[in-house]
């Protein structure tokens, strides 16, 4: 404790030892600032109606066929009993499982625009988890570096959001290398049904990226995998800057090679059937929510 004197020229200080632990909760200002904006942009009621009723998997109702409806939805048996055509209407399945796998290894602790990548990943994760809980899906959190560190159960309902926030506060900055094989294999063994796995990660060398691609190939046949990475805007600036000296040329060539390797890894993931989001640090949450809603609308979960 520290307090200033009446003239502000000196202060008194006292240290009191205590065994109390005060968790530092993640910043949810992006949730407050952008959550409402996202729902306003997509017209919340219309978005939910479009997601719940459309080209889903669960039968909803038998309705009179209207112009513009998919002809494949026509129920010919029921139409034969009526004087008009009738079609089946479906709604998208609820209670999908969304698992957020957060890489807390060394490379994710590197800063981007003044904040560690992992902090920006956690903010995007909380924003998307809030939307997923709103839409009736179930959410889980999995954090790892060289081994799994946090493995929550699957939760549902808006009251569970506070628990996710507290679990996210327990994610520690780590200096260890990420073990994708151990983490994703352990995660897949815990899942008893098809789930959407959202992997927040970062890679700078082809060796670690190759382990990630191999681990992704093992689970992409069973689960829907979405990999989220932040654009390396610093490398892009170095590669695009006009060189003045020989050192500038060397830096530009090195940066271009790293970006080329990065694009190659992301392309390999896409060829495996992995969905990839590479976003700016200040738009990753919005891009992730849009990607999640799109996959849900397409009934891929």
């Amino acid at each position: 404790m520290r307090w200033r004197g009446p003239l502000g020229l000196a202060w008194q200080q006292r240290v009191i030892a205590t065994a109390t632990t005060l968790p530092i909760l993640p910043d949810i200002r992006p949730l407050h600032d952008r959550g409402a904006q996202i729902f306003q942009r997509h017209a919340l009621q219309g978005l939910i109606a479009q997601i719940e009723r459309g080209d889903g998997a669960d039968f909803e109702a038998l309705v009179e066929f209207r112009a513009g409806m998919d002809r494949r939805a026509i129920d010919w048996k029921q139409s034969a009993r009526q004087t008009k055509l009738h079609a089946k209407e479906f709604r998208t399945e609820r209670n999908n499982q969304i698992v957020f796998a957060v890489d807390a290894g060394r490379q994710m602790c590197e800063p981007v625009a003044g904040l560690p990548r992992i902090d920006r990943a956690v903010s995007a994760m909380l924003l998307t988890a809030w939307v997923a809980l709103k839409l009736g899906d179930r959410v889980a959190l999995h954090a790892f570096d060289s081994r799994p560190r946090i493995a929550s159960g699957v939760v549902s309902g808006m009251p569970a959001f506070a628990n996710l926030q507290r679990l996210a506060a327990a994610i520690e900055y780590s200096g260890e290398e990420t073990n994708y094989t151990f983490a994703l294999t352990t995660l897949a063994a815990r899942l008893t049904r098809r789930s959407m796995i959202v992997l927040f990660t970062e890679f700078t060398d082809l060796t670690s990226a190759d382990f990630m691609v191999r681990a992704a190939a093992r689970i992409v046949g069973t689960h829907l995998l979405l990999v989220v990475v932040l654009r390396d805007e610093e490398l892009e600036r170095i590669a695009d800057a006009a060189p003045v000296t020989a050192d500038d040329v060397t830096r530009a060539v090195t940066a271009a090679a790293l970006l080329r390797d990065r694009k190659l890894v992301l392309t390999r993931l896409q060829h495996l059937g992995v969905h990839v989001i590479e976003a700016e640090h200040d738009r990753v949450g919005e891009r992730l929510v849009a990607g999640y809603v799109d996959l849900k609308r397409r009934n891929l979960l």
Side-chain angles (χ1 to χ4, degrees), residues 218-267:
R218 295 189 183 97
I219 65 174
V220 74
T222 306
H223 304 283
L224 178 65
L225 180 59
L226 173 62
V227 174
V228 182
V229 294
L230 298 179
R231 284 180 54 184
D232 200 325
E233 299 177 11
E234 183 179 0
L235 276 181
E236 293 177 358
R237 285 196 300 268
I238 295 175
D240 296 338
V244 178
T245 65
D247 291 340
D248 293 338
V249 175
T250 301
R251 282 190 289 267
V253 170
T254 303
L258 291 174
L259 290 174
R260 184 173 60 252
D261 292 342
R262 182 186 186 89
K263 184 177 181 179
L264 176 62
V265 172
L266 297 181
T267 302

Side-chain angles (χ1 to χ4, degrees), residues 97 99 142 148 151-152 180-195 197 215 218-219 222-223:
Q97 286 190 174
V99 182
H142 185 79
S152 75
Y180 294 103
T181 304
F182 187 18
L184 294 182
T185 301
T186 303
L187 173 59
R190 294 179 57 248
L191 299 175
T192 58
R193 54 173 289 192
R194 176 176 169 82
S195 305
I197 301 175
R218 295 189 183 97
I219 65 174
T222 306
H223 304 283

